[in-house]
């Protein structure tokens, strides 16, 4: 009797009971960090991965801008669902990583932002001992901080990128190392806060590193969706095509003309070290 009533109600509503309802789109909320939204490469790479996943999804930006530290809290509390950030053992214990590098390893190739008047001082730097006489700026909770300290380099922290640009302009520290894939764009974005700052022309700081997508611990559904889609995007070449289009200006880094200072990354997990070399590029 109950089954008959259920079938009758479904038919009255115009729904055939043998037709399976479509699954609701899986929702992903991505943070708006330092005023970067859809133009952030992490957002674009995530969108491509979800398109390659091939199932219904909804990708949204968080409504308000935040800083890096706050975005980590938002991920833990469920205000956002996914974030891309430089990885470390600590982050991989705290969040669930997708072990495919959305930066293709370029975040470990660092150029330096300096005040123009300090360029001669950096021209005299030829090794890590020379660089250790100067102070680096780093964001709070950036994983790079610990590896720079482990290499014997001095570090001054700031709450977010706008603060770091102001601190560099004011002489609170001497250089701000940023990935060669992002440094020119970030300087353009924040130049008004640091009018005397330029890209240092002679040095590159290099260490093993990767920027990964992370979800909350236990969020297996989103983790599986991103992993499946991003793997397909790498395998069919579409991710590399997107990456090349967004990083067409890498030649301006002039790496062949720079003195390269290499340091280790003791905070890199074994799982990250095990990512196959084909996912990385060497500029």
């Amino acid at each position: 009797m109950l089954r008959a009533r259920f079938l009758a109600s479904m038919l009255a509503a115009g729904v055939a009971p043998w037709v399976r309802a479509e699954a609701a789109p899986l929702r992903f909320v991505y943070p708006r960090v330092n005023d970067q939204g859809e133009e952030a490469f992490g957002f674009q790479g995530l969108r491509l991965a979800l398109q390659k996943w091939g199932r219904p999804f909804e990708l949204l930006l968080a409504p308000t801008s935040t800083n890096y530290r706050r975005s980590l809290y938002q991920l833990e509390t469920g205000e956002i669902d996914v974030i891309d950030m430089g990885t470390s053992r600590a982050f991989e214990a705290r969040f669930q990583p997708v072990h495919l590098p959305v930066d293709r390893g370029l975040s470990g190739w660092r150029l330096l932002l300096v005040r123009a008047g300090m360029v001669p001082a950096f021209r005299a730097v030829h090794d890590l001992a020379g660089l250790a006489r100067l102070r680096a700026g780093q964001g709070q909770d950036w994983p790079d901080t610990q590896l720079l300290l482990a290499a014997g380099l001095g570090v001054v922290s700031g709450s977010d990128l706008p603060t770091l640009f102001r601190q560099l302009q004011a002489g609170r520290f001497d250089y701000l190392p940023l990935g060669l894939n992002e440094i020119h764009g970030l300087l353009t974005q924040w130049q008004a806060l640091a009018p005397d700052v330029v890209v240092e022309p002679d040095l590159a700081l290099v260490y093993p590193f990767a920027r990964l997508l992370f979800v909350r611990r236990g969020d297996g559904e989103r983790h599986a969706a991103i992993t499946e889609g991003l793997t397909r995007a790498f395998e069919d070449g579409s991710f590399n095509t997107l990456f090349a289009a967004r990083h067409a200006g890498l030649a301006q880094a002039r790496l062949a003309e720079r003195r390269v200072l290499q340091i280790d990354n003791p905070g890199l997990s074994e799982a990250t070290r095990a990512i196959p070399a084909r996912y990385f590029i060497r500029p």
Side-chain angles (χ1 to χ4, degrees):
M1 178 64 71
L2 289 176
R3 178 175 174 81
R5 288 178 180 173
F6 171 75
L7 292 174
S9 66
M10 293 286 284
L11 290 170
V15 178
W18 54 84
V19 175
R20 189 174 182 177
E22 289 189 12
L26 185 57
R27 185 178 183 183
F28 295 79
V29 179
Y30 181 90
R32 194 187 300 267
V33 178
N34 294 319
D35 289 325
Q36 287 199 321
E38 291 189 16
E39 70 275 15
F41 185 74
F43 180 91
Q44 295 181 10
L46 174 62
R47 180 170 56 196
L48 175 62
L50 295 177
Q51 290 168 346
K52 294 295 178 177
W53 178 50
R55 299 173 200 171
F57 71 90
E58 184 180 19
L59 178 57
L60 305 172
L61 281 170
T64 58
S65 182
T66 188
N67 60 30
Y68 180 71
R69 171 176 279 188
R70 172 68 182 171
S71 68
L72 301 181
Y73 174 77
Q74 289 176 327
L75 183 57
E76 284 184 319
T77 59
E79 294 177 59
I80 62 173
D81 302 303
V82 59
I83 192 172
D84 64 294
M85 57 187 176
T87 191
S88 69
R89 282 195 186 92
F91 282 150
E92 292 181 27
R94 184 177 175 186
F95 306 106
Q96 190 167 356
V98 175
H99 275 110
L100 293 167
V102 292
D103 67 339
R104 303 204 64 200
L106 283 186
S107 294
W109 289 74
R110 299 271 162 155
L111 304 185
L112 314 180
L113 291 181
V114 304
R115 295 181 301 282
M118 288 290 292
V119 168
F122 283 88
R123 192 165 288 135
V125 172
H126 294 273
D127 52 29
L128 287 176
L131 190 61
R133 290 191 284 270
L134 301 162
R135 295 170 302 165
Q138 288 284 281
Q140 293 174 349
D141 293 326
W142 287 10
D144 315 63
T145 299
Q146 294 305 314
L147 69 91
L148 294 180
L149 291 171
L153 302 177
V155 175
V156 174
S157 64
S159 60
D160 52 27
L161 274 172
T163 299
L164 288 168
F165 273 85
R166 292 189 187 98
Q167 289 176 321
L168 179 56
Q169 175 69 23
R172 290 281 308 280
F173 53 82
D174 303 305
Y175 65 99
L176 177 59
L178 295 171
L180 65 83
N181 55 319
E182 63 184 356
I183 190 167
H184 294 283
L186 291 175
L187 179 58
T188 298
Q189 182 179 1
W190 302 109
Q191 183 82 75
L193 300 179
D196 297 331
V197 168
V198 298
V199 178
E200 194 281 330
D202 297 313
L203 294 175
L205 185 62
V206 178
Y207 43 84
F209 203 58
R211 193 172 185 90
L212 307 179
L213 289 162
F214 289 81
V215 300
R216 279 182 301 284
R217 277 278 156 199
D219 191 353
E221 186 176 19
R222 289 184 178 85
H223 184 269
I226 296 170
T227 301
E228 182 178 335
L230 194 54
T231 299
R232 289 177 180 171
F234 268 108
E235 288 177 349
D236 69 14
S238 58
F239 185 86
N240 291 349
T241 298
L242 174 66
F243 190 89
R246 275 295 307 271
H247 299 89
L250 290 182
Q252 67 187 122
R254 303 171 20 262
L255 287 176
E257 304 171 27
R258 292 178 179 272
R259 297 187 299 281
V260 175
L261 306 181
Q262 292 189 315
I263 59 177
D264 189 22
N265 184 354
L268 210 60
S269 72
E270 292 306 314
T272 298
R273 292 182 187 275
I275 297 173
R278 68 179 180 274
Y279 292 110
F280 295 88
I281 60 173
R282 183 180 178 87

